[in-house]
Amino acid sequence: MTSPAFTPRPHCWTCFKPRVACICDAIAPVDNRVGVTILQHPRERFHVVGTVRIARLGLQRVRVEHCGPWTDPAAIRDRIPPGAALLYPSAEAREVASLAPPERPAHLIAIDGTWFLAKKIYDAHTWLHALPHLRLTPQRPSGYGGVRREPRADYLATLEALIDALRLLEPETVGFDGLLRVFAQMVERQAGYMKKVIGC
C-alpha cells in the first residue's frame, strides 16, 4: 500500500502562518519610541502561537535576534545600543512602573522562549547580567488561556510583556491595543482549530 501524497498548506512567509490564518493585514504598525531587541530561541521561531511575529510586524523599532546558549555573544552584544535594559525577573530587577522618567531605558531587551529555554540563554550570555534588569507585576493572566501553558498564572507571553513595559515607558504612544487584539484573534483561531481537529 502507498500512502497518499501529503500536500502542505500554503504559508505566508512573512508571519510564518498558514495563509488561511495569516495575520499580516490585521496588524497596524505602532510607532514605539523605545527600541526593542528580542533574543529568540530557535525553537520559538515557527511556534504556531508564538507572539514575536506580531511584535516584529507591529513595532516600528524592533529587531529579532535568533539566539541560543551556543550563540557567539559578540554577534549580538555589539549590536545592542547604549541605554539598554533587560526585561527579566531576576532578584535585583526593578519594577518598570517604579522608574522615574530620567531612569527609563532607551532600549529594551527581551528573551523569547519557554521559561526553561529563556533561563538557559540568560545563564549562557553573561553579558546580559551587567545590564539594568526590569520586571513587571502583571495585573491579569496571560491571554494564552489553554492554548499554551505558562508555568505560573502571572507569566505573560513575550508580546504581552513588551506591550505592558512599553505602555509604562511611553504612555503617550497609541496602537498597542491593536497588537493585543491580533494576539487574541490568533489564540482564538488556534483554540478553535484544536477543538475541531484534536478534540481538546
Side-chain angles (χ1 to χ4, degrees):
M1 294 179 63
T2 59
S3 59
F6 172 71
T7 303
R9 292 187 295 176
H11 268 64
C12 170
W13 297 111
T14 300
C15 67
F16 301 122
K17 294 189 71 64
R19 288 202 176 275
V20 68
C22 175
I23 60 175
C24 296
D25 289 344
I27 295 175
V30 175
D31 189 19
N32 56 302
R33 176 175 48 79
V34 176
V36 173
T37 296
I38 302 171
L39 308 183
Q40 184 179 52
H41 193 283
R43 290 187 188 177
E44 288 295 309
R45 187 178 183 191
F46 300 112
H47 195 288
V48 65
V49 286
T51 62
V52 166
R53 53 171 58 91
I54 301 174
R56 178 173 57 83
L57 296 171
L59 297 176
Q60 294 280 51
R61 294 170 180 82
V62 66
R63 185 173 68 250
V64 180
E65 299 274 8
H66 298 135
C67 177
W70 57 85
T71 304
D72 177 10
I76 298 173
R77 182 188 60 221
D78 294 346
R79 290 196 290 269
I80 300 298
L86 177 67
L87 192 60
Y88 190 83
S90 62
E92 71 276 13
R94 295 184 62 189
E95 287 282 346
V96 180
S98 73
L99 300 178
E103 298 176 302
R104 294 173 184 171
H107 198 89
L108 272 181
I109 303 171
I111 304 175
D112 181 58
T114 64
W115 282 97
F116 175 80
L117 295 177
K119 188 175 187 305
K120 289 285 188 184
I121 292 173
Y122 180 78
D123 290 344
H125 289 263
T126 54
W127 62 273
L128 292 170
H129 302 181
L131 297 172
H133 286 44
L134 301 177
R135 67 185 303 144
L136 295 162
T137 301
Q139 303 301 311
R140 69 194 187 290
S142 172
Y144 266 137
V147 169
R148 190 173 190 185
R149 185 175 299 172
E150 298 286 4
R152 281 178 33 180
D154 60 345
Y155 282 2
L156 301 177
T158 301
L159 177 73
E160 294 175 301
L162 283 171
I163 287 179
D164 279 9
L166 290 172
R167 278 176 164 162
L168 292 167
L169 296 173
E170 45 182 289
E172 72 284 355
T173 301
V174 298
F176 293 126
D177 285 346
L179 301 185
L180 290 179
R181 281 194 294 271
V182 174
F183 170 50
Q185 291 163 6
M186 181 179 72
V187 169
E188 183 179 8
R189 182 187 290 271
Q190 183 63 20
Y193 174 80
M194 290 168 63
K195 184 176 181 179
K196 179 179 178 182
V197 177
I198 306 174
C200 297

